[in-house]
Amino acid sequence: EVQLVESGGGLVQPGGSLRLSCVGSGISVSKIWMHWVRQVPGRGLVWVSRINKDGSRRDHADSVKGRFSISRDDARNTLYLQMNSLKAEDAAMYYCVRDFVGPEDLWGRGTLVTVSS
Amino acid sequence: QSVLTQPPSASGTPGQRVTISCAGGSSNIGRDSVNWYQQVPGTAPRLLIYTTSRRPSGVPDRFSGSKSGTSASLDIGGLQSEDEADYYCTAWDDSLQGYLFGTGTAVTVL
């Protein structure tokens, strides 16, 4: 089955760090735009970050700029989101998205991040 | 405008036409294309419309999108029970250098 599988979520204290991973199964996450989108359960969608086809461009939402960093390991077919200096407002379900808003748009099932002391 | 505004809810009976609006500004909808997602609660979003009016493979043709100036619309023609879900518009914002999502619209099939 073609799918994206996120992992790495969990409970972390404010100020802590987490690294989310997204592995492509039956599908490549390299040489294509990859994104992270988050959603507080019961609330709306929020775009977080993106990385371009060759990794030369990375964009982040203002709310996470300087704290989050998107990256990719083509050999491992894996997308990452390094999240530092976590705040309570970063708590959400984080989705990995391949070809966001493109004809081959594909979302993972998400990994839940909880920020609490 | 740094947000995309949608009505919080919309409803219709089976077979009716429902239109959802998405209001933006000159730095987003006014200069770039609009995309629409459908999300059934508890599941990941599904792309319905990209580049303002194109449908990905597998999306029924009762879903259509359009844009005029700084606003966009999603039309659901011939509403069906499985269309009951939340709908979000999204567009790139050139000033913010990031994507914006709309506030979301919950569609109910009466």
Side-chain angles (χ1 to χ4, degrees), chain A residues 5-45:
Chain A
V5 181
E6 301 96 334
S7 62
L11 174 63
V12 62
Q13 292 187 339
S17 297
L18 276 179
R19 187 177 78 160
L20 306 184
S21 300
C22 168
V23 178
S25 176
I27 196 164
S28 174
V29 303
S30 64
K31 297 180 177 58
I32 195 164
W33 285 87
M34 294 294 298
H35 299 244
W36 288 97
V37 173
R38 69 185 182 186
Q39 183 176 37
V40 174
R43 304 285 296 276
L45 298 166

Side-chain angles (χ1 to χ4, degrees), chain A residues 39 50 57 100-102 105, chain B residues 37 39 47 50 92 97 101:
Chain A
Q39 183 176 37
R50 71 173 183 175
R57 176 173 178 170
F100 177 69
V101 305
D105 181 282
Chain B
Y37 282 94
Q39 185 180 32
L47 185 65
Y50 68 102
W92 177 260
Q97 287 293 292
F101 276 99

Side-chain angles (χ1 to χ4, degrees), chain A residues 35 37 39 43-47 50 57 59-60 62 65 95 97 100-103 105 107-109, chain B residues 35 37 39 42-47 50-51 56-57 88 90 92 96-103:
Chain A
H35 299 244
V37 173
Q39 183 176 37
R43 304 285 296 276
L45 298 166
V46 177
W47 176 83
R50 71 173 183 175
R57 176 173 178 170
D59 296 304
H60 298 84
D62 284 348
K65 212 168 279 186
Y95 294 101
V97 189
F100 177 69
V101 305
D105 181 282
W107 292 57
R109 293 188 175 184
Chain B
N35 316 279
Y37 282 94
Q39 185 180 32
T43 70
R46 169 198 181 195
L47 185 65
Y50 68 102
T51 321
S57 172
Y88 297 91
T90 183
W92 177 260
L96 296 174
Q97 287 293 292
Y99 279 93
L100 289 176
F101 276 99
T103 48

Side-chain angles (χ1 to χ4, degrees), chain A residues 8-13 16-21 67-69 81-86 94 111-115:
Chain A
L11 174 63
V12 62
Q13 292 187 339
S17 297
L18 276 179
R19 187 177 78 160
L20 306 184
S21 300
R67 301 187 299 121
F68 289 15
S69 179
L81 185 67
Q82 178 66 44
M83 306 188 297
N84 299 328
S85 303
L86 281 160
Y94 283 74
T111 185
L112 187 64
V113 172
T114 303
V115 184

